[in-house]
Amino acid sequence: MRTAPVLRILAVCFCLAKAVEAQQDSAESTWVADGPVYAITASSAVTYIGGDFTRVGSYTGRGVPILLTDGKAAAVYPMVNGEILAAASDGAGGWYIGGSFTRVGGLGRNYAARILVTGTVDTSWNPNANGTVRALVMGSGKVFAGGDFTVIGGASRSRLAALDSASGAAAAGWDPGPNNVVRALTLAGSTLYAGGDFTVVYGLNRSKLAAIDVTAGVPAPSWNPGGTLGVNGPVYALTVLGSSVAAGGDFTTVDGSARGYSLTVDSGGVLTAWDPQLNGAVRSMAFAGGRVFVGGDFTSVNGGIARSHLAALDGITAVDAFWSPDPNGTTVSALAVQGSTVLVGGDFTFLGNATRNSVAGVDIVISSATAWNPNANGSVKALASNGAVVYAGGSFSNINGMDAHLNIAAVDSGNGKVLAWGPDADLPVRALALGPGGLYIGGDFSTVGGQGRNYVAAIDTMTGNPA
């Protein structure tokens, strides 16, 4: 006799499931769960959620400034409603960010935005790109942006642009026009280095790598390491090593010469002998203390030395140093160095002999995880430090951890804070309704709050105990 009513409730909640998932993925959400949410109901102060999850936490958005002292999120910052792929310090305590988002702090911002030191969105800086921004670097009074776009800063700019650091307007006359995606940028003095999928820049043959004058926007005439045969795969990462530049990506040859996923080129555009012989793609790079830190999909360096997704290479000989944090997962997507700490972002859950979720600090000498542990619940793809705070961006939705709640939980309707209330159900909860007897739930469970309850139960909203 009870089966039909329960099934009707479950059917209604199933229809709501997609709407629930969409709510969790917006910048205006206040909470997030680590699995599907099938039902939501609320009183004036408390929101109850049911589903197939084990943890619930406050929604932080896809980008968060994190204190370098303790790994905690900054007190004030704007939430971002889409994936962040690039971040760069603005030199004034804030950041420029890029990605695939459309709103920052409740304001419309297509693919690029500036976050001020106050934790608010810069209302003046709005390049309004028409496609994903994948790389950012600041210098010479400009913000250089690379990605998939064809319009940015109020002008037609194919995949690479110089933007005014105050207004976001595109610099007049600066238009290299690469013919395909730009994925990486770095600056060395008056030269901007670009990497990506392109083969032509400013009408000249430039296969996956180019050196561009920051004032004129034209490629350096003799800097063309790809040569006639080109680089045979995309470049994802760049970093400057004194008078040369290192590049990493998913390539195995450069102008016919074997180079396994990484290379260095001197200021004249000549490929050097540096060859760490990685066995998989490089997706991030940073240079400090004479060493090149590389992250990516690889599992070995120097022709067979085991290094899981993260390694330190001598900047001259490329011989791997004794530094091996060995993150698990599939890749390391972001790297930055702050003092004696290497900041690492990716999709791992363990590195440096410690549990660390997607973002961590690693001692630059001994390769052990530091105490810095922001604990993200999804992939971190961008890191930028201003000396006291590091901006982390990616596809995550929570920083600083989530509370254990099995298939049912309660959150503050105003701020998204997870409440201690929670009876735990052993299997998914698929229906919720508030009534005079408390909170009524339906689902697949056989126990609630440690007591036998088959498929349907009533729970006291104050104590969390089953009726």
Side-chain angles (χ1 to χ4, degrees), residues 163-260:
L163 307 172
D164 185 270
S165 60
S167 69
W174 203 95
D175 189 12
N179 67 338
N180 210 328
V181 179
V182 172
R183 300 181 182 275
L185 296 171
T186 194
L187 268 172
S190 62
T191 302
L192 174 72
Y193 294 98
D197 300 359
F198 52 83
T199 56
V200 174
V201 177
Y202 212 74
L204 300 176
N205 173 45
R206 292 293 185 269
S207 176
K208 316 299 194 299
L209 283 166
I212 301 163
D213 185 277
V214 298
T215 302
V218 295
S222 62
W223 203 91
N224 184 22
T228 303
L229 299 178
V231 179
N232 74 335
V235 169
Y236 297 134
L238 294 166
T239 192
V240 173
L241 285 65
S243 61
S244 63
V245 63
D250 196 6
F251 53 82
T252 54
T253 64
V254 181
D255 199 19
S257 298
R259 280 296 184 277

Side-chain angles (χ1 to χ4, degrees), residues 16-33 37 39-42 47-49 59 62 79 81 397 411-413 416:
L16 293 174
K18 291 299 181 182
V20 171
E21 291 171 5
Q23 178 190 352
Q24 293 181 81
D25 199 44
S26 75
E28 287 72 31
S29 298
T30 58
W31 53 266
V32 64
V37 173
I40 299 176
T41 191
T47 298
Y48 300 94
I49 62 174
Y59 183 88
R62 311 296 184 186
M79 290 192 185
N81 77 332
S397 55
V411 298
D412 186 294
S413 295

Side-chain angles (χ1 to χ4, degrees), residues 39-411:
I40 299 176
T41 191
S43 66
S44 58
V46 179
T47 298
Y48 300 94
I49 62 174
D52 188 4
F53 52 79
T54 61
R55 304 185 74 82
V56 179
S58 297
Y59 183 88
T60 62
R62 311 296 184 186
V64 178
I66 303 169
L67 304 181
L68 282 167
T69 52
D70 59 10
K72 300 298 184 184
V76 178
Y77 64 91
M79 290 192 185
V80 182
N81 77 332
E83 189 173 50
I84 295 174
L85 300 173
S89 172
D90 69 356
W95 295 271
Y96 296 99
I97 63 171
S100 57
F101 51 82
T102 57
R103 293 180 69 80
V104 180
L107 299 178
R109 286 294 184 273
N110 291 319
Y111 309 108
R114 183 187 185 189
I115 298 171
L116 299 172
V117 65
T118 57
T120 60
V121 181
D122 186 343
T123 57
S124 299
W125 203 82
N126 186 15
N128 195 28
N130 72 339
T132 301
V133 172
R134 298 180 180 276
L136 291 167
V137 66
M138 183 183 176
S140 301
K142 300 182 179 69
V143 179
F144 299 94
D148 304 359
F149 52 81
T150 56
V151 175
I152 191 171
S156 175
R157 292 290 185 272
S158 176
R159 304 176 180 90
L160 182 60
L163 307 172
D164 185 270
S165 60
S167 69
W174 203 95
D175 189 12
N179 67 338
N180 210 328
V181 179
V182 172
R183 300 181 182 275
L185 296 171
T186 194
L187 268 172
S190 62
T191 302
L192 174 72
Y193 294 98
D197 300 359
F198 52 83
T199 56
V200 174
V201 177
Y202 212 74
L204 300 176
N205 173 45
R206 292 293 185 269
S207 176
K208 316 299 194 299
L209 283 166
I212 301 163
D213 185 277
V214 298
T215 302
V218 295
S222 62
W223 203 91
N224 184 22
T228 303
L229 299 178
V231 179
N232 74 335
V235 169
Y236 297 134
L238 294 166
T239 192
V240 173
L241 285 65
S243 61
S244 63
V245 63
D250 196 6
F251 53 82
T252 54
T253 64
V254 181
D255 199 19
S257 298
R259 280 296 184 277
Y261 309 100
S262 63
L263 59 86
T264 59
V265 184
D266 69 20
S267 58
V270 177
L271 188 67
T272 74
W274 193 84
D275 184 12
Q277 300 176 50
L278 296 106
N279 71 339
V282 171
R283 300 187 181 274
S284 53
M285 283 183 154
F287 180 66
R291 290 185 292 171
V292 183
F293 296 91
V294 295
D297 307 346
F298 56 85
T299 57
S300 72
V301 301
N302 297 138
I305 299 174
R307 289 294 183 269
S308 175
H309 311 307
L310 184 58
L313 308 169
D314 186 277
I316 298 174
T317 65
V319 175
D320 179 65
F322 181 74
W323 192 82
S324 184
D326 286 333
N328 62 357
T330 60
T331 195
V332 167
S333 305
L335 289 171
V337 179
Q338 181 62 52
S340 62
T341 301
V342 181
L343 307 173
V344 184
D347 63 0
F348 49 83
T349 59
F350 188 88
L351 92 167
N353 295 313
T355 298
R356 293 291 187 270
N357 291 315
S358 299
V359 60
V362 180
D363 187 281
I364 201 168
V365 176
I366 63 175
S367 70
S368 294
T370 69
W372 195 74
N373 183 20
N375 195 15
N377 73 332
S379 184
V380 171
K381 300 183 178 182
L383 292 169
S385 173
N386 67 12
V389 182
V390 59
Y391 191 91
S395 55
F396 58 84
S397 55
N398 174 270
I399 286 285
N400 293 152
M402 302 167 73
D403 297 331
H405 286 278
L406 190 59
N407 300 319
I408 186 168
V411 298

